[in-house]
Amino acid sequence: MKIVADKHIPYLKGALENFAEMSYITGSEINADNVKDADALIIRTRTKVNANLLSGSKVKLVVTATIGYDHIDRDYLDKASIKWLNCPGCNAGSVATFIASIIAYRMHLEDFDPIGKTFAIIGCGNVGQQVKSVVEALGMKVLINDPPR
């Protein structure tokens, strides 16, 4: 199995070499020539995945190491029977940690007491749920609004 991967995806190097022949390329430089013999792609948003990239290739799986997938032509992949996956929630822990650090910073420098204060969250998906847990643990009331829901 041959996998072409964006060389800037953290912690990927060394993870799959026992299972596949890996080729690491800068995401913006991944092109039809260097994916034509690949079985799978592991990308980020810099790589636009569409017929121009994959037509005539052996690729059967595209994985984006991102939450979003607007850089992937899902209709083309579905018609070409190419499976694709994204990584919803992959940054949720980082966002929750960032919010906790902002609150801690305010507590330290501004004599801010979070207990009983109200914190509003727009979106109650993976990120919103982790942020909710953090601010509730700090004693804050939480208001959640998720317009699509």
Side-chain angles (χ1 to χ4, degrees):
M1 172 184 286
K2 181 177 179 183
I3 300 174
V4 172
D6 185 317
K7 73 178 189 178
H8 296 293
I9 297 174
Y11 310 110
L12 185 58
K13 276 194 178 175
L16 299 173
E17 280 74 3
N18 288 339
F19 309 101
E21 174 189 336
M22 298 298 296
S23 179
Y24 296 98
I25 303 170
T26 299
S28 60
E29 295 175 359
I30 294 174
N31 60 46
D33 284 337
N34 53 41
V35 304
K36 65 182 174 198
D37 295 326
D39 299 293
L41 298 178
I42 304 175
I43 51 133
R44 300 180 305 148
T45 57
R46 286 167 179 71
T47 305
K48 304 303 179 208
V49 179
N50 52 35
N52 292 336
L53 179 67
L54 298 180
S55 184
S57 76
K58 296 182 357 182
V59 172
K60 290 296 176 197
L61 173 66
V62 175
V63 178
T64 182
T66 61
I67 295 167
Y69 46 83
D70 57 347
H71 56 292
I72 296 174
D73 182 343
R74 298 177 315 278
D75 290 335
Y76 168 75
L77 294 184
D78 290 343
K79 287 174 188 168
S81 298
I82 299 172
K83 177 117 175 106
W84 66 273
L85 301 164
N86 65 325
C87 297
C90 64
N91 68 341
S94 297
V95 174
T97 301
F98 179 70
I99 296 298
S101 68
I102 291 170
I103 295 169
Y105 177 82
R106 290 198 60 210
M107 290 168 67
H108 177 69
L109 291 181
E110 300 173 13
D111 197 29
F112 174 75
D113 182 4
I115 296 174
K117 301 284 191 305
T118 301
F119 192 93
I121 300 171
I122 299 175
C124 63
N126 291 308
V127 175
Q129 289 301 312
Q130 287 203 30
V131 169
K132 179 179 181 279
S133 294
V134 166
V135 297
E136 282 181 338
L138 293 170
M140 300 180 86
K141 298 177 199 168
V142 178
L143 300 176
I144 294 180
N145 183 347
D146 196 330
R149 292 183 184 193

